């Protein structure tokens, strides 16, 4: 059986990556591929617990302020579990694994946003994830202003409709998001073969078309 393919989606909150990932999954399934999807943090029982601690803005009322290095470590605990439970089994059984965020998010948010620096994140990635890298990363980088507007609107809606609160990150300052944006730019410049940025504010359909074309050029040819 041939090895599968590992694709991650990255970008600021509100960049549209989740919508694009879902649509790509539907398209690839229609083409006959086996597809597994996952989001980080989350996607395993342990990961879902970690997600609710890290994203709920009320967490710090009971737990106290979460130290940046603790936040980083929890992101990697989630990731190590997802690799063991979902990612490696999917890739080893020939599926296309589509992951909504991965280590680039830790480098951008904890390394850049929380100012822990890239080297700490990358060494944690070697230790916790055995340095497992995606084959392809689609980085959605519409303008910072557009992303922030969408993220804040989405979160208000989420809180009103479902009563859940995933605001801990969205409460951060514009400077925090500016540092994340810059770090994503740095990662794309450092790894141009793996990380493909899509920078403009084109429509959802137009961006999806570009993503499908890109993925089609990268997927290994089916074994006859
Ligand atoms: P999302 O599922 O809506 O993308 O939200 C996940 C949030 O968690 C988002 O604000 C980014 C943040 N995050 C990190 O700070 N570091 C990480 O390693 C990951 C995976 C997510």
């Amino acid at each position: 059986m041939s090895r599968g393919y590992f694709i991650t989606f990255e970008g600021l909150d509100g960049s549209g990556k989740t919508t694009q990932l879902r649509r790509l999954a539907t398209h690839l399934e229609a083409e006959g591929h086996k597809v597994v999807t996952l989001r980080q943090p989350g996607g395993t029982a342990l990961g879902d617990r970690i997600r609710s601690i890290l994203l709920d803005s009320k967490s710090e009322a009971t737990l106290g302020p979460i130290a940046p290095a603790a936040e980083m470590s929890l992101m990697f605990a989630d990731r190590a579990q997802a690799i063991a439970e979902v990612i490696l089994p999917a890739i080893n059984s020939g599926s296309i694994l589509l992951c909504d965020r991965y280590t680039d998010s830790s480098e951008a948010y904890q390394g850049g946003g929380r100012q822990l620096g890239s080297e700490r994140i990358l060494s944690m990635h070697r230790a916790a994830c055995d340095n497992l890298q995606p084959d392809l990363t689609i980085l959605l980088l519409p303008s910072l202003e557009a992303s922030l507007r969408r993220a804040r609107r989405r979160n208000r809606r989420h809180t009103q409709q479902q009563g859940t609160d995933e605001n801990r990150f969205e409460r951060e300052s514009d400077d925090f998001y500016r540092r994340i944006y810059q770090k994503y730019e740095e990662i794309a410049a450092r790894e141009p073969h793996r990380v493909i940025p899509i920078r403009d504010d084109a429509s959802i359909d137009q961006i999806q078309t570009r993503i499908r074309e890109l993925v089609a050029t990268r997927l290994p040819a089916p074994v006859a």
Side-chain angles (χ1 to χ4, degrees), residues 12-13 143-153 174 177:
L12 290 186
D13 306 87
S143 72
L144 180 62
E145 291 68 30
S147 299
L148 288 177
R149 259 199 319 276
R150 274 191 259 172
R152 298 205 159 118
R153 202 170 45 227
D174 288 0
Y177 281 103

Side-chain angles (χ1 to χ4, degrees), residues 13 17 40-41 51 75 79 101 105-106 109-110 169:
D13 306 87
K17 65 187 167 38
Q40 293 196 341
R51 184 179 179 93
M75 292 293 182
R79 188 162 300 128
R101 298 192 178 283
S105 282
S106 298
Y109 281 72
Q110 282 67 52
F169 283 94

Side-chain angles (χ1 to χ4, degrees), residues 17-183:
K17 65 187 167 38
T18 306
T19 306
Q20 296 295 349
L21 183 154
R22 287 198 191 119
R23 291 180 63 163
L24 180 64
T26 306
H27 166 71
L28 291 173
E29 274 165 357
E31 283 199 322
H33 294 282
K34 279 191 296 170
V35 178
V36 175
T37 62
L38 176 71
R39 72 171 176 182
Q40 293 196 341
T44 63
L46 177 65
D48 288 340
R49 292 256 193 114
I50 292 174
R51 184 179 179 93
S52 68
I53 292 173
L54 285 175
L55 269 60
D56 189 334
S57 63
K58 291 188 287 300
S59 286
E60 291 188 320
T62 42
L63 302 173
I66 299 175
E71 183 179 270
M72 168 187 78
S73 305
L74 286 168
M75 292 293 182
F76 276 101
D78 162 70
R79 188 162 300 128
Q81 186 68 23
I83 288 172
E85 216 179 296
V86 184
I87 298 178
L88 284 181
I91 295 173
N92 291 338
S93 69
S95 296
I96 300 175
L97 191 284
L98 303 181
C99 195
D100 191 341
R101 298 192 178 283
Y102 189 66
T103 293
D104 295 325
S105 282
S106 298
E107 190 177 346
Y109 281 72
Q110 282 67 52
R114 304 272 190 237
Q115 300 181 288
L116 290 177
S118 289
E119 195 36 55
R120 266 174 101 169
I121 306 298
L122 297 177
S123 58
M124 190 87 188
H125 182 66
R126 289 189 286 274
C129 307
D130 205 15
N131 216 25
L132 178 71
Q133 297 288 2
D135 298 301
L136 171 66
T137 296
I138 296 161
L139 170 58
L140 296 179
L141 273 186
S143 72
L144 180 62
E145 291 68 30
S147 299
L148 288 177
R149 259 199 319 276
R150 274 191 259 172
R152 298 205 159 118
R153 202 170 45 227
R154 184 194 57 172
N155 237 287
R156 270 197 305 276
R157 212 172 39 229
H158 207 254
T159 307
Q160 281 160 4
Q161 286 171 356
Q162 301 177 19
T164 53
D165 172 358
E166 293 202 336
N167 274 319
R168 207 177 131 258
F169 283 94
E170 277 85 352
R171 282 182 324 187
E172 293 292 340
S173 67
D174 288 0
D175 276 352
F176 176 77
Y177 281 103
R178 221 163 269 126
R179 288 196 296 275
I180 294 168
Y181 201 87
Q182 245 167 17
K183 192 55 90 177

